[in-house]
Amino acid sequence: MGANIKRCKNIVKQDNEVVGAACRVPYYPLVIKRGRGAIIEDEDGNEYIDMLSSAAATNIGHCHPKVVEAITEQAKEIIHYTPVYTYQESLVELAKELTEITPGNFKKKVIFGLTGSDSNDGMIKLARAYTGRSKIISFVGAYHGSTYGSLSISAISLNMRRKIGPLVPDVHYINYPHCYRCKFGKKEESCNLECIQELEDSFKNYIPEEEVAAVVMEAIQGDAGLIVPPEKYVKKLYSICKDKGILFAVDEVQQGFGRTGKWFGIENFNVEPDIIVVGKSIASGMPMSAIIARSEIMETLGPPAHAFTTMGNPICCKAALATIKVIKEEGLLEYSRKLGKYTIERFNDMKAKYPLIGDVRGVGLSIGVDLVKDRSTKERDKEAAAKICYRCWEKGVLLTFFANNVLRIQPPLVITREQMDKALNIIEASIVEYLRGDIPDEVLEIAKGW
Ligand SMILES: Cc1ncc(COP(=O)(O)O)c(C=O)c1O
């Protein structure tokens, strides 16, 4: 593979001339033409097994026939009429569905958006309005989006923050509990949740707890390198929030809709957030997001405090209803758990062979493979990640990395076992070729990642 990418290269060249670089994270000149299930085809007719799912936005696979049908039928009726001024049945149906599938046995309400970022902005507004407090606690490494609000609660990239300040004020960042790279030098056996201590210390020294509106957490920190927090940490954090009247808000934009083998990532930790933000896979890649919050929180903001003309688009609503139905009917939660377990085992087998792999972690089909220069220092190996991803692309696997060195394994949940095996074999072959020094340095000029 990789021999014929003439059309793709030409389109990328033109793209670079007319599209702003700020909206891109470059890996390779892949120009998408079509997708079916877990397979992507480029403009030159090359096929790839997808390990990225359009950044976790197409969990039920590309162009699922039920979603295509729902979109097509709705488009024949009406493409959009703003729900800011009018009402629509599919939006109500979807809102009801979301209040049912999200954790929390309490009355909830929903506000729709267009993309994860804007719903995270809405979450900040709601948390501040409900509590009458201004401070938000977020995490180092968090990614919540690219609008001013969501960016302000993110702390993952200097490039995202340079030149554009000031950002939304009163956001504080604590360390995310990262057991493989523990900031406090602890191992599982010796861990006393020192990272929670850090938060408690901040309440004693510089963050007045009565001014904190919400703690905002990714159930699994995605773009920081797929970091799975210990359950005891999440439970403790949750109980601190409850004690202090702080809202516990969870960003499920990346981990939601079956990615981790549950509807939502936070269900793996047995706590019930006050506010949940969803996006990406909700409508199989159609532009949609939503805030789902306790009713009393939603009711603190009146019209039109969080309204967008194209929010809750009927085609997106129908696509979302079809997506949820497919997840239920095809048993994708269970499949994600099962295939995820198998995939982690396969990567652990590779870890036993290649010291380059420092850590394999994840839940369901949300898996990170942490590449290191040295297992004792855990120094991140960006060169390896970039070269391996590039070689995988050449061999027909769409693979990316985050946090400079962590291979991102988030395929569509409908990927077959055979496709997964083929992709894993190609990833392993690419690792071997990297270790042999077969992948040229020029690749690093192209596969830049974050
Ligand atoms: C956890 C998380 N939150 C929010 C966002 C932002 O979503 P969007 O790009 O749809 O605005 C992302 C996107 O990658 C994400 O991973």
Side-chain angles (χ1 to χ4, degrees):
M1 227 292 308
N4 176 21
I5 51 159
K6 214 167 145 209
R7 249 182 79 71
C8 288
K9 272 192 158 163
N10 185 274
I11 293 169
V12 171
K13 190 165 166 280
Q14 294 178 54
D15 179 289
N16 289 339
E17 281 160 23
V18 290
V19 176
C23 68
R24 284 261 152 71
V25 181
Y27 287 98
Y28 21 69
L30 173 57
V31 183
I32 304 287
K33 179 157 188 188
R34 64 167 64 87
R36 293 289 179 276
I39 302 295
I40 284 293
E41 187 186 321
D42 74 11
E43 280 290 348
D44 289 293
N46 302 300
E47 285 194 351
Y48 306 83
I49 302 171
D50 187 6
M51 289 287 116
L52 180 62
S53 307
S54 182
T58 53
N59 283 1
I60 65 161
H62 303 287
C63 291
H64 193 291
K66 297 241 166 87
V67 174
V68 173
E69 192 192 343
I71 290 173
T72 316
E73 289 309 309
Q74 178 57 44
K76 289 183 202 156
E77 298 295 329
I78 190 161
I79 290 174
H80 192 61
Y81 204 98
T82 181
V84 176
Y85 293 108
T86 59
Y87 298 87
Q88 108 209 353
E89 192 174 13
S90 58
L91 186 151
V92 177
E93 214 185 313
L94 179 59
K96 282 188 191 162
E97 190 72 71
L98 290 173
T99 61
E100 272 162 32
I101 61 173
T102 45
N105 195 14
F106 38 76
K107 203 166 168 347
K108 301 169 208 155
K109 284 193 171 181
V110 180
I111 289 184
F112 289 100
L114 293 96
T115 192
S117 304
D118 64 51
S119 283
N120 275 322
D121 283 21
M123 176 266 293
I124 299 170
K125 292 182 196 172
L126 285 165
R128 285 181 167 176
Y130 177 72
T131 58
R133 305 168 174 191
S134 63
K135 297 189 192 309
I136 304 286
I137 294 182
S138 179
F139 290 87
V140 178
Y143 183 69
H144 296 291
S146 213
T147 52
Y148 264 96
S150 60
L151 169 60
S152 302
I153 57 168
S154 304
I156 188 168
S157 157
L158 287 174
N159 256 4
M160 291 190 74
R161 292 178 151 244
R162 282 196 175 107
K163 306 180 195 172
I164 58 156
L167 300 180
V168 173
D170 232 359
V171 182
H172 304 264
Y173 313 91
I174 56 174
N175 283 298
Y176 198 87
H178 190 354
C179 299
Y180 178 62
R181 289 197 162 77
C182 178
K183 288 272 174 206
F184 306 92
K186 297 287 176 171
K187 297 260 182 297
E188 204 182 326
E189 322 76 72
S190 59
C191 166
N192 285 315
L193 290 182
E194 282 74 8
C195 36
I196 279 284
Q197 197 55 51
E198 185 194 10
L199 176 65
E200 287 178 328
D201 285 349
S202 74
F203 288 145
K204 285 188 200 128
N205 296 311
Y206 63 100
I207 304 180
E209 61 189 52
E210 72 284 2
E211 292 180 16
V212 179
V215 168
V216 182
M217 183 175 196
E218 289 169 80
I220 290 171
Q221 211 178 39
D223 289 6
L226 225 290
I227 305 166
V228 184
E231 185 174 341
K232 62 179 179 178
Y233 175 92
V234 182
K235 285 197 159 134
K236 181 77 186 156
L237 177 63
Y238 182 77
S239 78
I240 290 174
C241 288
K242 293 290 116 184
D243 281 355
K244 299 185 186 305
I246 297 170
L247 297 179
F248 185 67
V250 172
D251 178 341
E252 289 280 356
V253 172
Q254 187 177 127
Q255 306 302 335
F257 292 94
R259 175 61 43 207
T260 71
K262 306 251 184 198
W263 278 107
F264 298 98
I266 198 66
E267 291 174 79
N268 292 291
F269 306 97
N270 299 307
V271 295
E272 295 177 344
D274 302 296
I275 310 181
I276 294 181
V277 174
V278 300
K280 290 194 191 267
S281 274
I282 180 175
S284 289
M286 294 293 285
M288 170 167 266
S289 63
I291 313 164
I292 303 109
R294 288 178 181 273
S295 293
E296 64 268 27
I297 298 174
M298 274 295 178
E299 275 147 22
T300 51
L301 282 179
H306 195 67
F308 304 97
T309 307
T310 51
M311 74 201 306
N313 170 280
I315 299 178
C316 301
C317 288
K318 285 284 173 71
L321 286 165
T323 301
I324 293 169
K325 208 159 169 235
V326 167
I327 295 176
K328 289 180 184 168
E329 284 174 358
E330 296 188 11
L332 293 181
L333 304 183
E334 202 198 332
Y335 186 70
S336 169
R337 271 198 298 276
K338 260 178 40 197
L339 191 64
K341 201 162 164 277
Y342 169 76
T343 307
I344 287 180
E345 277 165 19
R346 286 279 320 258
F347 276 115
N348 275 327
D349 291 345
M350 291 184 219
K351 183 179 160 195
K353 289 193 253 177
Y354 314 111
L356 173 67
I357 299 180
D359 191 34
V360 178
R361 50 183 182 258
V363 188
L365 281 170
S366 201
I367 299 166
V369 180
D370 197 314
L371 305 182
V372 292
K373 290 192 178 160
D374 179 324
R375 277 199 184 160
S376 55
T377 63
K378 300 179 183 174
E379 188 185 343
R380 295 174 190 271
D381 199 337
K382 181 169 184 186
E383 181 181 329
K387 286 185 171 178
I388 290 165
C389 287
Y390 194 89
R391 182 51 54 93
C392 279
W393 164 70
E394 290 180 307
K395 288 173 177 288
V397 171
L398 203 175
L399 179 69
T400 58
F401 59 94
F402 28 38
N404 283 324
N405 71 318
V406 180
L407 302 181
R408 175 177 190 168
I409 312 295
Q410 292 183 326
L413 310 181
V414 294
I415 188 170
T416 65
R417 169 79 180 259
E418 292 67 35
Q419 288 166 334
M420 182 58 101
D421 274 329
K422 190 169 172 201
L424 290 167
N425 293 343
I426 288 176
I427 293 171
E428 181 162 7
S430 302
I431 290 174
V432 170
E433 286 169 36
Y434 167 73
L435 292 171
R436 273 206 312 254
D438 285 355
I439 309 175
D441 286 346
E442 297 91 82
V443 162
L444 302 174
E445 291 304 308
I446 306 165
K448 294 207 170 92
W450 276 60

